[in-house]
Amino acid sequence: MILLNPGPVNLSDRVRNALLRPDLCHREVEFSQLQTRIREQLLQVYGLESGWAAVLLTGSGTAAMEAMISSLVPRNGKLLVIENGVYGERLSKIAKIHEINYITLSHPWNAEIDINALVKLLDENTDITHLAVVHHETTTGRLNNLLELAPICQERQIKILVDAVSSFGAEELNFADWGITACAATANKCLHGVPGVSFVILQRDALPVDTIPRTLYLDLGTYCQQQDRGGTPFTQSVQTFYALTEALQEMTEAGGWRSRHSHYNQLASLVRDGLASIGIKPLLPLGSSSVVLNAYYLPDGFSYEEFHDQLKAQNYIIYSGQGNLAQSIFRVSTMGAITQADMERFIVVVKEIIRNS
């Protein structure tokens, strides 16, 4: 089955076989060495060095998002959340649940960030200390422009917290020039690992000092302190760690995130051009979407359920729209161990389905 949904992804044989490595106790030195290696590998993806830490969690990408927001916004801080899709709205839900002082800048789901509105809101709320934003909003496939946010936040000394769950490892993340304080991500998307382990990359000095944590299990300060010593506060998912270190090594050997970006872009262009040739239009214009996922309007006369089921019968899994887009779009991801031949056949299958309708 070829998974064209935005995670979990198809695994390479190499990563899948890593799951069969020996059982291991998370309190043994061998696990400590494995954990330390992954932390170093994650920093190497974007060339981060001293002053940065990768903090590993057992949980989905949402666990990393929640850990980042609940751990890094201090009790005397104020958060601005930019919303232009489901996952931006999820960041707001996290802030609300943890009783964090926050406000939102909301947009329609298919809209780019309104910079003028952002500046106006920040000028009216000079007590904002942190800004949370989704890099790749998989609701629509939009890649939000973080470069535009950097000078606005830097001149106001606002720390930027990024949901990079579906962009880390395949899209550019310029931590220094974009003023990123922390980003949350996961193993089972662009890194081609398996579900079960997520992480936060953070500036070490962003961790609040001498404050009472909002959460027990997701407190990044506790994790970072213990992982620095080679330990872990709670049981980690050992087999998924095995798979992640192998996936990271595989990506490095293949040329790193730039190579992965190029491969995804090739596949995404193939799909976009192939669907355009039969009149299936993208939701967003070229240049607004990531290379990771694109959204398309459903073919005339098809419900999502019908289109999905016919593709599944041919071993392809697409993804539905969400909310008010559920009945009008479908989404196609290029993540995972997917080849050009896989996507060429996908276009052939789509054409056959439409021709036979």
Side-chain angles (χ1 to χ4, degrees), residues 213-344:
R214 292 188 176 91
T215 170
L216 174 68
Y217 185 72
L218 295 176
D219 178 53
L220 291 178
T222 301
Y223 275 94
C224 192
Q225 183 182 64
Q226 294 205 27
Q227 289 178 6
D228 284 346
R229 298 199 299 257
T232 177
F234 307 104
T235 305
Q236 298 278 33
S237 180
V238 176
Q239 276 68 27
T240 64
F241 277 47
Y242 280 143
L244 177 55
T245 192
E246 196 64 40
L248 287 164
Q249 183 61 31
E250 187 175 58
M251 184 174 76
T252 298
E253 292 171 7
W257 75 264
R258 289 180 177 83
S259 177
R260 186 146 292 174
H261 177 93
S262 178
H263 177 62
Y264 284 5
N265 187 48
Q266 180 183 27
L267 298 184
S269 297
L270 188 159
V271 172
R272 181 180 284 257
D273 293 345
L275 295 180
S277 71
I278 52 174
I280 296 178
K281 298 179 180 179
L283 176 67
L284 300 178
L286 187 64
S288 295
S289 292
S290 74
V291 299
V292 177
L293 176 145
N294 279 232
Y296 298 92
Y297 289 104
L298 285 163
D300 291 340
F302 282 88
S303 67
Y304 170 76
E305 292 76 16
E306 180 184 7
F307 196 48
H308 168 276
D309 290 352
Q310 291 197 40
L311 282 166
K312 186 174 182 180
Q314 297 293 326
N315 293 320
Y316 286 98
I317 299 295
I318 57 171
Y319 216 50
S320 65
Q322 295 170 285
N324 60 7
L325 296 175
Q327 301 305 314
S328 59
I329 71 167
F330 67 101
R331 293 177 287 170
V332 177
S333 171
T334 53
M335 293 185 286
I338 299 173
T339 67
Q340 181 172 335
D342 292 327
M343 302 313 282
E344 288 172 346

Side-chain angles (χ1 to χ4, degrees), residues 59-117:
S60 69
T62 301
M65 292 165 59
E66 187 162 357
M68 178 176 68
I69 297 298
S70 63
S71 299
L72 299 186
V73 182
R75 294 182 182 275
N76 62 350
K78 186 174 181 180
L79 176 69
L80 169 62
V81 180
I82 295 178
E83 299 177 347
N84 62 345
V86 167
Y87 298 97
E89 293 175 5
R90 183 171 295 181
L91 292 171
S92 294
K93 290 178 181 177
I94 291 168
K96 182 177 182 180
I97 288 169
H98 288 280
E99 299 182 343
I100 293 170
N101 184 14
Y102 80 100
I103 59 173
T104 64
L105 177 60
S106 298
H107 304 75
W109 282 2
N110 63 345
E112 62 185 12
I113 297 172
D114 186 334
I115 296 299
N116 291 331

